């Protein structure tokens, strides 16, 4: 256990001096391997074995589908549908931002692509209409956290592959929390709108215009139905659904909307491969780190220590959520979920908590970190697009983060939030 402690200390030191997360994970893990005198070829074998999983093949195809939809300008069509649905209410562009993120999240499953695709269009529009730069950036970054919650979700795929939980059930379990995040963020906008007298749309959209808007976006809106419908009815596995999503996105972008040329499609495929490579390095490094913890039975020791420290299940869950929230402030959700899953799962097993529910509230907590200062990537991207200092955006986003935390607590203490919809299909 001495080398495990040294490994963890080394990891936090490397993170503190701004070493990229995958290299910090690899370097700190080498401290353990060298300390226990394991041959380095074991490191290579463990790294390669990480990808010996059919489920993980879904990641590059969902990444590709999301990039195609973003590059093809699908976000603009989704924004117009969202504007049609929200109507002429005070603060309507903030509501449009949240609803559009719901749609976009159901297509891409990633947060940062949502921030850039939706934010690049809506943040300038919101500022021109009289919204403050910091509020525009805050609502965009906060709404982006729905992307990895509303299915499909890369974080859910990774958790399911580690914890041996059905990816289909994880996708279904994310529906209620994702919608709850959207509703509670709208409540924040409502309160802010009353307090600060936010602007609203005065022009009416005619029935003819509404039909055109819906028709133009209908094929894009069908993508989540194609993915989830195929998985639910047993037509395709999650990995096969990802392949279908990528081909579907390419066909409608190139041949139907004609907003993406074949030449540009090849560039998008190349960029997706680079992004997948970056994610793969993180996954491999985090898996190696997690294996070192498991090899020394650190999760079991931690679970027994926490169980003996207090008899209250509620207090233990609250402590775990606090740990995850702090971790999410400094680390991306994907490496974080790979590290904490093998650590906490033995504890959840002792507490008789359903693995699906555990995966849901852990994922929700870490995903909230994507918009949480000081390192949240969505928060940073939104502040850059808005041209507003990150400090002022960080202050404006706090009420939205409080809404996310409420959903995390509901998922933690009310099992039905995560388990109700999966139970209907089992």
């Amino acid at each position: 256990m001495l080398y495990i402690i040294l490994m963890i200390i080394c990891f936090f030191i490397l993170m503190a001096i701004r070493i990229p997360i995958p290299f910090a994970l690899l370097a700190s893990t080498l401290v353990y391997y060298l300390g226990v005198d394991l041959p380095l070829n074991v490191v290579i074998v463990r790294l390669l074995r990480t990808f010996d999983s059919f489920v993980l093949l879904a990641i590059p195809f969902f990444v590709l589908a999301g990039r195609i939809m973003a590059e093809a300008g699908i976000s603009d069509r989704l924004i117009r549908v969202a504007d049609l649905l929200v109507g002429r209410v005070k603060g309507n562009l903030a509501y449009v931002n949240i609803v559009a993120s719901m749609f976009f999240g159901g297509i891409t499953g990633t947060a940062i692509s949502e921030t850039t695709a939706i934010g690049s269009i809506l943040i300038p529009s919101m500022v021109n209409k009289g919204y403050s730069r910091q509020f525009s950036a805050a609502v965009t970054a906060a709404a982006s956290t729905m992307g990895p919650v509303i299915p499909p979700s890369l974080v859910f795929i990774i958790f399911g592959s580690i914890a041996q939980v059905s990816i289909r059930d994880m996708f279904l379990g994310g529906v209620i929390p994702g919608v709850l995040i959207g509703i509670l963020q709208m409540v924040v906008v409502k309160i802010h709108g009353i307090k600060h007298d936010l602007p609203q749309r005065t022009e009416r959209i005619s029935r003819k215009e509404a039909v055109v808007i819906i028709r133009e976006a209908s094929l894009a809106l069908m993508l989540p139905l194609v993915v989830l419908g195929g998985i639910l009815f047993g037509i395709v596995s999650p990995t096969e659904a990802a392949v279908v999503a990528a081909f579907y996105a390419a066909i409608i972008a190139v041949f139907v909307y004609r907003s993406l040329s074949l030449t540009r499609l090849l560039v998008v495929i190349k960029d997706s491969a680079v992004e997948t490579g970056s994610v793969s390095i993180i996954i491999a490094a985090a898996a190696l780190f997690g294996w070192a913890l498991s090899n020394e039975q650190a999760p079991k020791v931690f679970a027994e220590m926490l169980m003996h420290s207090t008899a209250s299940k509620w207090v233990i869950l609250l402590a775990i959520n606090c740990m995850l929230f702090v971790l999410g402030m400094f680390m991306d959700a994907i490496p974080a979920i790979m590290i904490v899953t093998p650590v906490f799962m033995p504890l959840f097993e002792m507490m008789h908590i359903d693995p699906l529910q555990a995966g849901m509230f852990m994922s929700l907590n870490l995903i909230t970190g994507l918009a949480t200062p000081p390192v949240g990537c969505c928060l940073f991207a939104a502040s850059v697009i808005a041209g507003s200092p990150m400090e002022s955006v960080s202050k404006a986003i706090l009420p939205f983060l409080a809404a996310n935390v409420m959903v995390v607590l509901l998922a933690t203490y009310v099992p039905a939030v995560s388990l109700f919809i999966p139970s209907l299909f089992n």
Side-chain angles (χ1 to χ4, degrees):
M1 290 299 292
L2 171 64
Y3 292 109
I4 289 293
I5 294 168
L6 288 175
M7 180 182 77
I8 294 170
I9 292 171
C10 179
F11 171 65
F12 282 110
I13 290 172
L14 291 172
M15 276 200 32
I17 61 174
R18 305 274 183 177
I19 299 296
I21 287 174
F23 301 114
L25 287 167
L26 284 171
S28 56
T29 306
L30 283 176
V31 170
Y32 168 77
Y33 278 89
L34 294 173
V36 297
D37 199 26
L38 282 172
L40 287 179
N41 63 342
V42 174
V43 178
I44 306 299
V45 171
R46 295 303 315 177
L47 283 171
L48 294 175
R49 191 171 292 175
T50 302
F51 300 104
D52 188 17
S53 170
F54 181 70
V55 171
L56 290 182
L57 280 175
I59 293 175
F61 290 103
F62 276 130
V63 168
L64 176 59
R67 273 198 169 262
I68 290 171
M69 298 300 266
E71 188 71 26
I74 304 300
S75 51
D76 187 42
R77 289 179 168 86
L78 299 177
I79 287 169
R80 279 183 282 169
V81 173
D83 187 33
L84 177 66
L85 293 175
V86 172
R88 296 179 297 165
V89 295
K90 192 179 289 292
N92 74 299
L93 282 181
Y95 290 111
V96 167
N97 204 319
I98 294 168
V99 175
S101 291
M102 281 184 174
F103 290 150
F104 206 77
I107 291 172
T108 65
T110 56
I112 189 64
S113 61
E114 202 169 304
T115 305
T116 52
I118 301 293
S120 60
I121 298 171
L122 273 180
I123 290 177
S125 299
M126 291 177 74
V127 172
N128 290 337
K129 292 289 184 180
Y131 296 80
S132 69
R133 290 183 181 274
Q134 57 266 30
F135 177 76
S136 303
V139 70
T140 302
S144 298
T145 59
M146 285 184 287
V149 180
I150 294 175
S153 167
L154 302 187
V155 178
F156 291 170
I157 291 171
I158 291 170
F159 172 82
S161 67
I162 298 170
Q164 298 300 303
V165 175
S166 165
I167 307 297
R168 185 199 72 163
D169 288 349
M170 287 297 296
F171 282 3
L172 291 174
V175 173
I176 292 178
V179 172
L180 282 176
I181 289 172
I183 291 171
L184 290 179
Q185 288 185 358
M186 288 181 190
V187 171
V188 173
V189 171
K190 178 71 174 176
I191 295 169
H192 190 88
I194 294 170
K195 188 177 177 181
H196 297 278
D197 192 28
L198 293 177
Q200 64 187 87
R201 174 166 61 83
T202 55
E203 316 86 54
R204 285 183 176 274
I205 296 177
S206 67
R207 238 177 235 186
K208 187 176 179 182
E209 289 175 309
V211 170
V212 171
I213 289 170
I214 293 172
R215 188 178 67 236
E216 287 183 347
S218 59
L219 288 174
L221 292 171
M222 280 178 62
L223 182 53
L225 298 177
V226 169
V227 172
L228 275 181
I231 295 171
L232 287 180
F233 293 108
I235 301 170
V236 291
S237 68
T239 303
E240 291 163 345
V243 177
V244 171
F247 275 98
Y248 181 92
I251 288 168
I252 65 170
V254 175
F255 300 108
V256 180
Y257 292 142
R258 296 186 180 178
S259 53
L260 194 68
S261 66
L262 287 171
T263 305
R264 188 62 195 163
L265 177 61
L266 292 175
V267 175
V268 171
I269 292 171
K270 180 182 126 186
D271 291 344
S272 299
V274 172
E275 185 176 339
T276 302
S278 302
V279 173
S280 298
I281 292 171
I282 294 173
I283 290 172
L288 199 65
F289 191 93
W291 182 84
L293 292 172
S294 300
N295 194 50
E296 293 296 324
Q297 295 189 321
K300 185 180 177 183
V301 173
F302 174 79
E304 289 173 349
M305 182 181 68
L306 206 55
M307 285 291 285
H308 289 134
S309 65
T310 176
S312 174
K313 179 178 174 180
W314 282 57
V315 174
I316 293 174
L317 289 174
L318 184 61
I320 289 172
N321 273 315
C322 290
M323 289 183 225
L324 291 172
F325 189 73
V326 172
L327 183 63
M329 289 181 180
F330 299 96
M331 187 182 288
D332 189 69
I334 288 177
I337 199 69
M338 293 200 69
I339 293 170
V340 300
T341 298
V343 172
F344 287 130
M345 288 313 288
L347 177 60
F348 295 138
E349 191 175 336
M350 289 182 188
M351 297 167 66
H352 305 291
I353 293 175
D354 191 291
L356 174 57
Q357 181 194 356
M360 194 57 58
F361 72 73
M362 284 200 302
S363 300
L364 287 168
N365 203 325
L366 294 170
I367 287 165
T368 299
L370 299 173
T372 303
V375 190
C377 60
C378 294
L379 186 68
F380 177 75
S383 64
V384 169
I385 295 169
S388 179
M390 195 162 171
E391 294 78 14
S392 59
V393 179
S394 297
K395 185 178 177 182
I397 204 172
L398 292 179
F400 294 100
L401 293 179
N404 280 33
V405 169
M406 286 180 66
V407 178
V408 171
L409 294 176
L410 280 172
T412 303
Y413 295 114
V414 184
V417 171
S418 306
L419 305 179
F420 176 69
I421 293 184
S423 68
L424 296 178
F425 290 89
N426 289 327

